[in-house]
């Protein structure tokens, strides 16, 4: 896999994180990105899709793009819930 595809996938993960972190009802309390973070996240995601389309077919590129976004939007809330659980010391 070419390096630009790996960079594109990392950009998709970063963009998804920024979109999640700038949401109103997210779990990240301190230092959450604002509206600018949301715009940067969507710009990263919009840039990643054409890069994926250069290497994969249409269906595979869109599937990979959406899967990366769903991965971040699923793992991050669970990770922060686990972090709170460990920090507060629930049995």
């Amino acid at each position: 896999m070419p390096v630009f595809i790996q960079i594109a996938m990392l950009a998709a993960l970063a963009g998804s994180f920024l979109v999640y972190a700038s949401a109103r009802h997210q779990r990240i309390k301190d230092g959450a990105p604002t509206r600018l973070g949301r715009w940067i996240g969507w710009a990263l995601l919009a840039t990643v899709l054409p890069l994926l389309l250069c290497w994969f077919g249409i269906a595979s590129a869109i599937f990979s793009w959406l899967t990366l976004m769903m991965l971040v939007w699923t793992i991050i809330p669970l990770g922060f819930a686990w972090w709170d659980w460990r920090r507060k010391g629930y049995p």
Side-chain angles (χ1 to χ4, degrees):
M1 185 177 309
V3 175
F4 78 93
I5 294 298
Q6 294 173 357
I7 292 171
M9 289 187 176
L10 289 174
L13 294 174
S16 299
F17 179 78
L18 284 173
V19 170
Y20 172 79
S22 63
R24 192 176 318 150
H25 299 291
Q26 43 74 21
R27 301 273 307 185
I28 305 170
K29 303 277 193 254
D30 300 328
T34 58
R35 186 175 298 203
L36 178 64
R38 185 178 315 140
W39 281 102
I40 292 171
W42 282 116
L44 280 171
L45 289 172
T47 305
V48 164
L49 186 58
L51 291 174
L52 292 177
L53 285 168
C54 290
W55 184 254
F56 300 117
I58 294 172
S60 298
I62 293 173
F63 176 78
S64 299
W65 188 63
L66 291 173
T67 301
L68 287 169
M69 286 190 289
M70 287 188 298
L71 176 72
V72 170
W73 293 340
T74 302
I75 297 297
I76 296 297
L78 293 175
F80 280 110
W82 178 80
W83 182 263
D84 284 345
W85 178 76
R86 296 286 295 171
R87 189 182 56 178
K88 293 177 182 175
Y90 292 119

